[in-house]
Amino acid sequence: MQQNEPPDSPPSGKGKAHKPSRLSDIVKSIDTGSDTTIGDLVDSLGERAFGALMFIFAVPNILPTPPGTSSILGLPLVILTWQVLIGRQSLWLPSIVRQRRISRDLIATFVTKVTPAMARIERILRPRLGFLVSSDAAERLIGLITFPLAIVLFMPIPLGNMLPAAAIALIALGLAERDGLAVAIGYVLSLASVALLVAISSALYIAVVAFFQALFGM
């Protein structure tokens, strides 16, 4: 994936690696003064790392947010993680997604609540375990793991959003900061998400079966 240099960085030679902008700085740069659209948000970030956008679309699903937030932010996350999976180097969103509006209150809540925690987490992030983040195969594996989690976020599954969102957010941080340890922990959270979803689905199935048995005396 392409990584942007900080705005004040000098031009680099071809192939020279640079540390991507801190996600907390990227989040602080978001305009919280008015409603915006997903397209405007993406454009304001420029050619940022895929990890930054994955983080921004995933984290609000961890926070207490108005109903419908997951459907607004879940679809672009599905499209984004699919493009990571297939190895696309630049983000594309259909116009119907770009035109979706995000309220000023949601943006302000996201920036206010997320930035301090991000700054603390970023102090312990550093490039390591590069084989988990620095190759095409590693990035495609990230897409393979996060794509189904993004689908889960898009679907209105009771109690099913928080853990997948946390897993995607942690993987996104690892991708943006080239920290393979963060990605590995995100994979563990992904497995926990699957276990939780299986438990929820099993409980719902048992409840439905018990309901019809009680209703019809089956």
Side-chain angles (χ1 to χ4, degrees), residues 83-146:
Q83 291 176 69
V84 175
L85 174 59
I86 64 176
R88 187 178 173 88
Q89 296 299 306
S90 58
L91 175 62
W92 171 85
L93 292 174
S95 59
I96 191 172
V97 174
R98 288 180 58 87
Q99 292 169 5
R100 287 195 173 192
R101 300 198 68 79
I102 306 174
S103 72
R104 175 180 57 186
D105 291 341
L106 177 58
I107 298 171
T109 298
F110 171 71
V111 173
T112 302
K113 293 187 176 181
V114 171
T115 304
M118 288 176 63
R120 289 193 292 269
I121 293 172
E122 286 171 339
R123 295 191 189 105
I124 62 175
L125 294 175
R126 65 179 186 272
R128 54 188 160 183
L129 301 179
F131 66 94
L132 289 175
V133 290
S134 299
S135 68
D136 182 66
E139 290 180 348
R140 287 174 183 261
L141 178 59
I142 287 173
L144 181 64
I145 298 296
T146 57

Side-chain angles (χ1 to χ4, degrees), residues 26 28 54 56 68 78 88 103 119 141 145 154 173 195:
I26 294 174
K28 287 178 184 177
M54 287 170 61
I56 289 169
V78 169
R88 187 178 173 88
S103 72
L141 178 59
I145 298 296
F154 180 62
L173 282 172

